[in-house]
Amino acid sequence: MIRIASRGSELALWQSRAVAGSLRAADPSLQVEIEVIRTTGDRIQDVPLAKIGDKGLFTKELDNALLEDQADLAVHSLKDIPTRLPDGLTLAAVTVREDPRDVVLLPPGQAGGLEALEPGARVGTSSLRRVAQLRKRRPDLELVDLRGNLNTRLAKLDRGEYDAIILAAAGVLRLGWRDRISAYLEPPRWLPAVGQGALGIVCRTDRDDIRAALAPLNDPDTAAATTAERALLRALEGGCQIPIGALGLVDEGQVYLAGLVADTDGSRILRVHQVGDVKHAAAVGRAAADELLAKGAGEILASVRARVVLAEPAAP
């Protein structure tokens, strides 16, 4: 029996069920069950993400379940996994990546991308990375915080609370909502979150049996690309709520990495591109971070951190 710790949203359960199916396909003798665990990020829905703090916002409670032997592995969107895991835990597998891009969703019956929106249109997002790129590209839009799981966000759009919302393509596609996508935001002009589109599977470091069971689920190309992205993020000491974007691609033994650091008002966006051997993906990410720092990324990130006042999480 393998016990999977999962958040309870429809998307999180889709992801955990997909991993469960892959485990059974690799070893039909396995029995797999899913344990739903509520996280801090799930509990606090009325505070912008940037004001809650991002240290394990969607992972801490699942990490604790692993460390306390209440579960054998946890399935996360890789973009939610901190680059520094708690002692005793390891990132055991990274699955084949779904589309890593961000997408624009409009109310039913409407079409077009960002350029089709009227000046002053209300655009929903909870990401400072998206806010920064939106303000650079369309400074005339009104940007409004957007929280909740994907179903909730889509319902808010359809009720007319927003003129558009920006989401990760991966979640939209996994839930079967391809026909709701109005436009894709194309790299490298628009960069996604680090690890976006991939699933990360975490287990205890001492569970060799679980690591062996997960080995067939690990996709080497996705693992290398996201290793470069996560190395960039770690070197910049950024979290998922700091305006940092990155996308790695692997081709013929090389990893190609695009990265950016932005101020939240879009006034400064620094971009870099690095290429290196796929065997040294982490070094590619660190080189990209060094180049960003040489261009002034440290000053931008310090300014952003100084402006984001973290609130204490509400009690359970």
Side-chain angles (χ1 to χ4, degrees):
M1 173 67 72
I2 291 182
R3 301 161 297 168
I4 298 177
S6 174
R7 294 169 60 199
S9 70
E10 184 177 349
L11 178 59
L13 290 172
W14 185 101
Q15 294 172 168
S16 294
R17 289 167 184 152
V19 168
S22 296
L23 286 167
R24 295 188 190 102
D27 183 353
S29 69
L30 285 178
Q31 297 182 43
V32 186
E33 65 180 23
I34 296 173
E35 303 281 348
V36 174
I37 296 174
R38 202 170 184 220
T39 68
T40 300
D42 297 316
R43 287 189 288 103
I44 305 174
Q45 293 292 321
D46 57 351
V47 178
L49 288 176
K51 292 190 176 182
I52 302 174
D54 56 7
K55 299 300 184 184
L57 186 60
F58 293 107
T59 61
K60 182 172 63 176
E61 287 80 2
L62 277 67
D63 289 342
N64 290 339
L66 298 178
L67 293 170
E68 296 169 6
D69 198 28
Q70 297 172 2
D72 302 304
L73 62 90
V75 178
H76 304 282
S77 295
L78 184 59
K79 64 185 178 68
D80 292 334
I81 301 178
T83 57
R84 291 176 172 83
L85 290 172
D87 290 342
L89 298 182
T90 186
L91 180 60
V94 177
T95 65
V96 173
R97 196 173 208 166
E98 179 54 273
D99 192 323
R101 294 175 291 180
D102 279 341
V103 290
V104 180
L105 277 69
L106 301 179
Q110 298 186 29
L114 291 179
E115 286 67 29
L117 294 173
E118 296 289 336
R122 291 168 55 86
V123 179
T125 178
S126 59
S127 162
L128 294 182
R129 170 188 55 82
R130 291 172 180 149
V131 165
Q133 293 181 94
L134 280 167
R135 285 181 171 154
K136 179 68 172 180
R137 191 154 161 179
R138 285 292 308 269
D140 57 330
L141 299 175
E142 180 184 355
L143 306 186
V144 186
D145 192 62
L146 175 64
R147 292 293 315 280
N149 59 41
L150 290 191
N151 308 67
T152 300
R153 296 183 189 197
L154 191 64
K156 290 179 177 180
L157 173 68
D158 291 348
R159 287 198 301 266
E161 296 181 27
Y162 304 89
D163 298 304
I165 60 175
I166 311 295
L167 300 175
V172 177
L173 295 172
R174 284 170 176 146
L175 292 183
W177 299 341
R178 184 183 299 271
D179 61 343
R180 292 302 308 266
I181 296 175
S182 299
Y184 290 83
L185 296 170
E186 297 290 349
R189 183 183 181 193
W190 182 288
L191 288 182
V194 165
Q196 187 162 299
L199 303 183
I201 310 175
V202 175
C203 72
R204 278 178 23 195
T205 307
D206 61 2
R207 290 296 303 271
D208 292 340
D209 57 332
I210 298 299
R211 296 172 75 173
L214 291 172
L217 280 62
N218 188 66
D219 179 65
D221 284 355
T222 304
T226 56
T227 291
E229 295 168 21
R230 287 169 61 80
L232 178 153
L233 186 66
R234 180 167 180 163
L236 294 175
E237 297 184 348
C240 62
Q241 293 311 310
I242 297 296
I244 297 172
L247 182 61
L249 299 172
V250 172
D251 184 47
E252 296 185 351
Q254 298 285 298
V255 59
Y256 298 81
L257 179 65
L260 70 78
V261 168
D263 208 335
T264 50
D265 62 4
S267 61
R268 296 178 291 176
I269 296 184
L270 307 178
R271 298 178 181 273
V272 297
H273 295 83
Q274 286 284 337
V275 182
D277 193 293
V278 71
K279 297 177 182 178
H280 305 293
V284 174
R286 290 191 294 269
D290 288 343
E291 185 179 350
L292 284 165
L293 290 170
K295 290 184 174 184
E299 177 187 346
I300 293 176
L301 294 176
S303 174
V304 171
R305 292 186 183 105
R307 291 198 303 269
V308 176
V309 180
L310 300 183
E312 288 294 325

